[in-house]
Amino acid sequence: MTTLNKLRVTGGMLELHSGSGPGWVISSDWLRDNCRCSACRHPGNGQKLYDIVDLPDGLHVATAAVDGAQSLQVQWSDGHVSDYPLAWLAAHDLSGAARSARRRTATLWSRDLLNHLPVADWPTLQADPAAELAWLEQYAALGFGLLRQVPCESGMVAQVGDRLGFVRVTNYGRLFDVKSVPNPTNLAYTAVGLGVHSDNPYRHPSPGVQLLHCLESEAPGGDTLLVDGFHAAEILRREDPAAFELLCRIPMNFRYADTSTELQARQTLISTDMDSVVRAVHFNNRSADWLDAPADVAQAWYRAYRAFSHILKRPELELVFRLAPGECVVMQNDRTLHGRTAFDPGLGRRHLQGCYIDGDAMESRRLVLRRSPKH
Ligand code: OGA
Ligand code: ZN
Ligand code: ZN
């Protein structure tokens, strides 16, 4: 721990300087709102006990002192006293360098990931928390994971969904069958090839995670295609920044309709956060509806849409493999786009079952297992 030997309060900011390093600049409003004392946060559950408007207007630092190398003590203008461990302040350093170091970066992948597929055996994953954590870490970094040895039983996909998270029931039910049928309500239920897409962008919110479990795959064709939407978005940002910016800003409408359902949602194909980091990609040609934007914007947007679609079709980005019976692919539906090649249902059967779950439960499980991989 560095020793702090200089402390300054200026214009609502607190500056802490060590002998050598650049030091910390801390907003005083931010600091007050992070007080951990038992009047501010419930000691048992850590939840906040006051409302932001309960703090007086014009609150400022009255006195501040650093206690050895341990903590920063602040007395506020209303008399409240706060104590901040320096280790906590270091972990919440708001400098650009610290913020970007804290950011979890996605591992971008392309076609050659085929030799390092993120795979686990389902019985092992259920029995061994260390194996489960290892698989969840790969899933979090790559945006998808494969499970093998999932019993080839109808309905199993929903059991897997309920073990990884909570199945989200939709108008398609708890799970849906993907096979070629007469009078299909969705092109997925035919034998045609499907370009890579996210599922259900017409839903608010779109499903966070999609599972597809293979029960039968005798028909020639029907290979699975996966593309890293984050990688494709980064390529677009590099090659055509103006197109990237348009797809982040101008949403398009998506729609699904059948006799009893009318689903509509509007969202951008690419979403970024305040630091311009790509956080979501939603792309689906089949359920793309129309663009509600001024004509000149529409013209530029279509140029951008075509540029992104071209990138998504680049063979070097496309991970191609064949799901075998007993295999289940689990995908972040807001990152990993999926599709399939056409198959011939006259020459053999092909049957997948799918379901959706939310992403938060999987992320929670990863973080809980990280605390102690013994759960
Ligand atoms: C789907 C889908 C892919 C496949 O049903 O959403 O994309 O391999 N299916 O059949
Ligand atoms: Zn307090
Ligand atoms: Zn799909």
Side-chain angles (χ1 to χ4, degrees):
M1 174 66 68
T2 40
T3 1
L4 296 158
N5 55 15
K6 262 195 258 159
L7 201 157
R8 272 200 320 167
V9 185
T10 43
M13 295 293 171
L14 224 92
E15 289 176 32
L16 298 180
H17 289 274
S18 63
S20 50
W24 294 321
V25 180
I26 307 169
S27 139
S28 61
D29 288 341
W30 179 94
L31 195 62
R32 175 61 187 87
D33 196 37
N34 281 296
C35 181
R36 254 58 195 167
C37 84
S38 59
C40 290
R41 298 255 177 190
H42 188 279
N45 58 36
Q47 296 203 333
K48 205 170 269 184
L49 295 168
Y50 64 92
D51 198 279
I52 195 68
V53 293
D54 296 338
L55 302 178
D57 285 341
L59 187 73
H60 57 269
V61 174
T63 62
V66 172
D67 165 23
Q70 292 306 307
S71 68
L72 167 70
Q73 281 148 16
V74 175
Q75 181 162 23
W76 299 93
S77 51
D78 64 352
H80 195 80
V81 174
S82 308
D83 194 283
Y84 305 91
L86 294 185
W88 187 91
L89 288 174
H92 296 80
D93 181 354
L94 299 182
S95 67
R99 290 187 63 251
S100 76
R102 268 199 304 270
R103 215 173 283 145
R104 188 156 52 84
T105 48
T107 305
L108 303 183
W109 49 267
S110 40
R111 186 179 191 88
D112 52 12
L113 187 69
L114 195 60
N115 306 319
H116 317 275
L117 286 176
V119 60
D121 291 337
W122 180 235
T124 312
L125 184 144
Q126 291 177 89
D128 175 2
E132 183 180 0
L133 177 59
W135 185 81
L136 285 171
E137 293 288 7
Q138 292 200 73
Y139 170 87
L142 299 169
F144 78 101
L146 265 176
L147 298 171
R148 291 198 172 127
Q149 295 176 35
V150 179
C152 276
E153 290 161 22
S154 179
M156 197 60 212
V157 72
Q159 283 187 45
V160 175
D162 274 333
R163 171 62 173 78
L164 295 176
F166 304 95
V167 167
R168 183 157 152 206
V169 181
T170 70
N171 55 301
Y172 301 121
R174 238 172 90 70
L175 58 87
F176 47 88
D177 287 286
V178 185
K179 55 183 171 190
S180 181
V181 295
N183 302 319
T185 53
N186 192 311
L187 284 179
Y189 311 149
T190 67
V192 301
L194 300 175
V196 294
H197 61 277
S198 353
D199 261 34
N200 298 199
Y202 43 76
R203 217 178 274 292
H204 229 36
S206 288
V209 183
Q210 178 175 8
L211 284 75
L212 281 173
H213 177 215
C214 178
L215 295 172
E216 291 176 291
S217 68
E218 292 150 12
D223 288 353
T224 294
L225 312 173
L226 298 183
V227 167
D228 183 355
F230 285 11
H231 193 182
E234 290 304 341
I235 292 173
L236 183 69
R237 177 173 7 215
R238 195 171 63 235
E239 294 182 355
D240 194 340
F244 177 86
E245 192 275 331
L246 273 170
L247 297 189
C248 289
R249 192 161 54 82
I250 313 288
M252 95 175 297
N253 293 340
F254 292 95
R255 176 170 186 250
Y256 171 83
D258 62 27
T259 47
S260 56
T261 310
E262 177 68 51
L263 290 162
Q264 300 181 13
R266 170 182 288 204
Q267 57 184 328
T268 56
L269 300 194
I270 305 173
S271 312
T272 51
D273 66 12
M274 66 186 265
D275 297 309
S276 294
V277 175
V278 173
R279 291 293 173 209
V281 169
H282 287 105
F283 184 92
N284 191 318
N285 183 56
R286 276 172 293 142
S287 58
D289 198 12
W290 67 296
L291 180 74
D292 184 359
D296 56 335
V297 175
Q299 195 68 5
W301 187 90
Y302 265 93
R303 199 190 57 76
Y305 184 36
R306 286 168 61 89
F308 192 40
S309 305
H310 275 303
I311 292 171
L312 290 173
K313 287 182 193 300
R314 290 187 187 168
E316 67 268 25
L317 293 191
E318 211 169 52
L319 183 59
V320 188
F321 59 96
R322 193 172 173 77
L323 274 180
E327 291 183 339
C328 179
V329 57
V330 184
M331 300 163 281
Q332 288 176 10
N333 188 47
D334 50 9
R335 170 176 175 187
T336 299
L337 309 182
H338 65 284
R340 68 161 184 242
T341 60
F343 60 96
D344 186 343
L347 292 177
R349 294 212 296 230
R350 181 179 191 273
H351 185 192
L352 309 185
Q353 285 186 325
C355 74
Y356 304 118
I357 64 177
D358 291 332
D360 50 8
M362 286 182 70
E363 182 61 2
S364 164
R365 181 78 181 144
R366 184 178 76 90
L367 296 176
V368 167
L369 286 172
R370 265 193 172 192
R371 280 189 213 149
S372 150
K374 288 188 200 72
H375 285 78

